[in-house]
Amino acid sequence: AKNVPLSSNNIEYVVERQSSLRLNTGTDCPVFSVQSEYDQARDAISEIALLKNNWDGHQASTPSRVVIANSKKFISALEKGNMTCCDYDNVEATPYGTIVFNIDTTMGLVSVEVGETMMGFFTDLSDGHNYASEGIETDFCEVPQQISVLLS
């Protein structure tokens, strides 16, 4: 983290991972984010786009340009629908060349995996009723209904 003094009253802002900003007053005050979760997710996708093959040391595939573009479209569709999103730390590349978004909702976890032509998801909901799908065909411009009902 890099401290950036912004005023003379000893309050500093701390920039972390280029995607969030928190107030540092020297106390245990709450952390707040300047960027929306949508923008944080986009930043994570942009960093994932820089990965090279074998990025994990175990022959992991790099997400293709199509997967990167589909992931950005998915985030835009979430934003357009005013649906719950995830922050920077909950966007992950998989060794298979896909990108996973782990989204915490009031009902529990919704994990969405974006690929080149399809997306899949599973849930870990607090009520114990869980759902999953391994292959939803989509153009990624809209969130499929099976997922949107969980994120609205």
Side-chain angles (χ1 to χ4, degrees), residues 105-109 123-131 150:
T105 71
T106 56
M107 298 184 300
L109 173 72
T123 63
D124 186 10
L125 304 179
S126 55
D127 68 4
H129 293 96
N130 290 301
Y131 308 94
L150 299 165

Side-chain angles (χ1 to χ4, degrees), residues 19-134:
S19 64
S20 63
L21 191 65
R22 67 181 170 88
L23 183 64
N24 181 4
T25 61
T27 64
D28 291 330
C29 59
V31 172
F32 68 93
S33 176
V34 170
Q35 283 190 316
S36 71
E37 288 186 331
Y38 307 110
D39 289 336
Q40 289 184 46
R42 285 184 190 98
D43 285 351
I45 294 164
S46 294
E47 286 194 23
I48 289 169
L50 301 175
L51 293 174
K52 304 290 183 209
N53 278 328
N54 195 31
W55 55 267
D56 69 346
H58 300 285
Q59 305 304 315
S61 297
T62 304
S64 69
R65 288 186 197 141
V66 172
V67 171
I68 297 298
N70 288 346
S71 295
K72 290 179 180 180
K73 285 192 239 179
F74 173 66
I75 296 302
S76 293
L78 288 176
E79 188 172 28
K80 182 175 80 175
N82 199 29
M83 295 178 210
T84 305
C85 190
C86 59
D87 64 12
Y88 181 95
D89 293 328
N90 288 304
V91 180
E92 303 171 356
T94 72
Y96 314 106
T98 59
I99 296 178
V100 171
F101 300 87
N102 294 310
I103 304 169
D104 289 315
T105 71
T106 56
M107 298 184 300
L109 173 72
V110 178
S111 184
V112 179
E113 184 173 10
V114 172
E116 289 198 355
T117 60
M118 292 191 244
M119 67 173 48
F121 76 96
F122 72 87
T123 63
D124 186 10
L125 304 179
S126 55
D127 68 4
H129 293 96
N130 290 301
Y131 308 94
S133 175
E134 291 184 12

